[in-house]
Amino acid sequence: MRLLVTGGAGFIGSNFVHLTRQMFPEVRLTVLDALTYAGTLRSLQGVEDDIRFVKGDIADRELVNRLVGEHDVVVHFAAESHNDNSLREPWPFVATNIVGTFNLLEAVRDHDVRYHHISTDEVYGDLELDDPARFTETTAYNPSSPYSSTKGASDLLVRAWVRSFGVRATISNCSNNYGPRQHVEKFIPRQITNVIDGQRPKLYGDGLNVRDWIHVDDHNSAVWTIIERGQIGQTYLIGADGEKNNLDVVRLILAGMGKDPQDFDHVVDRPGHDRRYAIDSTRLRTELGWRPQYSDFESGLAATIDWYRSNEAWWRPEKDATEYRYATAGAI
Ligand code: NAD
Ligand code: TDX
């Protein structure tokens, strides 16, 4: 199989490349990545001799068409992925998440290539803390932020290209990932690296917002399950029953790093901050037989803390610029 991975120098995409190298050494991998602030070749260290890397933008329609035509399967991870950035400057989200996905869909249509689309549970909006409901594949789209609305738009393009043009595509919507190689702008790595730097973690608002955490390797094993056994045209929700509020996660990080669990600050809330996400992954489990391997969030978090402690050379180059962006962002 010749597999094209977009966004393979980012957090989830690079973990997907490493996992694929271990699980399927016979797969021929190409990574297409623009190496934005969120992508780095440091994330592909150890596999660089076994893959082909192309630096390029998915907004480049000619490049995308040519590359897609050289492959059997495309897995599309590339995106602008951070809600806070989307509140500050939405345009790159429209360009990459919507126009970039359009270019990929036109190319897979042109060459009749199998396509898997990576998306997020944020397209469904949010749930109340006391709502017993969880998101399913039939929950109505109701995105809150520029980020989640552009991801929702890209999902709808995929559905239309399946129905109108017979494109061989599947979609997955996953909950919040954690694990190695996640950018320090994101919640868990930001707080771990703050503690390493002697800074206090920063909790938006009251900190009671709930995220449904899943280890990145579980997300990626689910993606492989869908590539191998997913039904064309189908959407699968990926989640590992990992609901936790941000306050508890910050306290776990502090305790896990030998600090006082109360040693954090509440800061001004994110505008439009989604209250709770929760995934019902019954379809993926019953129809495709997938199971997560990381059932214990606390040990997964401890391993993630160890990774950031041992890999300062990976994250240090991004830390100051990231904190500067936060410090100059006003209300965000
Ligand atoms: P990330 O920001 O860490 O990585 C994104 C990668 O895409 C980077 O390597 C970046 O250089 C690349 N990229 C950005 N714009 C590009 C462009 N125009 N052309 C080519 N490459 C470009 O993101 P992530 O957290 O790894 O997320 C990957 C995918 O998973 C996204 O589609 C995201 O919406 C989805 N997702 C993420 C999570 C999560 O918790 N992080 C959860 C569910 C779904
Ligand atoms: O410093 C912080 N303090 C804080 O309290 C940051 C950066 C975040 N938060 C809160 C906001 C959220 O409730 O932590 C929670 C997680 O925040 P993020 O890491 O920014 O993730 P989120 O906005 O939930 O979106 C993530 O999950 C779904 C990814 O960034 C998306 O790409 C994915 O689609």
Side-chain angles (χ1 to χ4, degrees):
M1 181 197 288
R2 299 167 304 169
L3 179 61
L4 178 63
V5 181
T6 72
F11 165 46
I12 306 175
S14 65
N15 280 289
F16 180 82
V17 169
H18 286 280
L19 190 77
T20 302
R21 265 285 140 270
Q22 290 157 21
M23 283 172 53
F24 306 106
E26 70 285 2
V27 171
R28 286 163 56 192
L29 278 166
T30 304
V31 168
L32 170 62
D33 197 295
L35 297 181
T36 68
Y37 80 96
T40 169
L41 290 176
R42 293 192 297 284
S43 294
L44 294 170
Q45 268 168 14
V47 293
E48 59 273 74
D49 293 339
D50 302 329
I51 65 169
R52 174 180 169 207
F53 180 82
V54 179
K55 182 174 186 302
D57 194 325
I58 55 170
D60 180 343
R61 197 164 168 185
E62 193 277 323
L63 170 70
V64 166
N65 188 274
R66 181 167 52 76
L67 269 183
V68 166
E70 297 168 6
H71 293 83
D72 307 305
V73 180
V74 175
V75 186
H76 176 34
F77 290 96
E80 286 290 339
S81 69
H82 193 39
N83 276 300
D84 291 333
N85 293 343
S86 81
L87 294 163
R88 206 161 35 227
E89 200 189 350
W91 165 246
F93 290 75
V94 174
T96 290
N97 299 357
I98 303 179
V99 180
T101 298
F102 165 81
N103 286 339
L104 283 155
L105 286 168
E106 283 293 80
V108 296
R109 175 187 171 204
D110 202 16
H111 299 284
D112 189 23
V113 167
R114 169 84 168 87
Y115 174 82
H116 181 69
H117 184 73
I118 303 291
S119 193
T120 170
D121 60 358
E122 297 193 19
V123 300
Y124 301 114
D126 62 353
L127 299 161
E128 296 298 330
L129 294 182
D130 59 358
D131 189 338
R134 300 193 292 172
F135 301 137
T136 71
E137 287 79 2
T138 56
T139 302
Y141 275 42
N142 187 26
S144 312
S145 74
Y147 163 68
S148 51
S149 61
T150 58
K151 291 298 292 186
S154 72
D155 294 6
L156 299 184
L157 291 178
V158 179
R159 291 184 183 193
W161 262 243
V162 169
R163 170 122 182 202
S164 300
F165 304 125
V167 159
R168 291 182 293 129
T170 41
I171 300 175
S172 54
N173 297 81
C174 187
S175 58
N176 283 61
N177 286 218
Y178 71 97
R181 303 185 199 89
Q182 186 169 30
H183 195 280
V184 290
E185 69 190 354
K186 302 298 196 305
F187 178 53
I188 288 178
R190 184 182 187 203
Q191 314 314 340
I192 293 172
T193 54
N194 275 356
V195 173
I196 292 173
D197 279 351
Q199 302 294 320
R200 290 160 70 90
K202 295 179 169 47
L203 202 56
Y204 293 167
D206 61 12
L208 297 181
N209 306 66
V210 169
R211 296 296 181 265
D212 192 351
W213 294 101
I214 181 171
H215 193 278
V216 63
D217 285 343
D218 279 335
H219 181 178
N220 284 327
S221 75
V223 170
W224 263 111
T225 300
I226 297 164
I227 293 170
E228 290 184 309
R229 298 199 289 280
Q231 188 188 323
I232 297 301
Q234 196 61 273
T235 291
Y236 297 91
L237 263 55
I238 305 174
D241 302 328
E243 283 187 67
K244 283 221 173 315
N245 73 36
N246 296 336
L247 191 58
D248 287 341
V249 174
V250 158
R251 287 183 180 138
L252 282 172
I253 291 171
L254 282 161
M257 298 181 76
K259 305 288 181 193
D260 179 348
Q262 303 309 324
D263 212 2
F264 61 86
D265 292 326
H266 288 277
V267 297
V268 66
D269 207 355
R270 171 185 284 173
H273 195 179
D274 280 338
R275 199 56 168 162
R276 171 173 160 249
Y277 306 135
I279 288 270
D280 178 346
S281 59
T282 303
R283 171 181 284 171
L284 180 64
R285 293 172 193 238
T286 55
E287 292 182 14
L288 304 188
W290 173 82
R291 292 279 176 285
Q293 299 301 313
Y294 292 78
S295 48
D296 179 9
F297 177 75
E298 292 187 26
S299 63
L301 185 64
T304 304
I305 292 170
D306 284 346
W307 190 88
Y308 281 89
R309 278 188 162 137
S310 311
N311 289 277
E312 188 168 336
W314 182 91
W315 58 265
R316 178 58 69 192
E318 287 299 316
K319 183 66 179 169
D320 285 352
T322 302
E323 289 304 322
Y324 181 77
R325 278 201 293 276
Y326 277 120
T328 53
I332 298 169

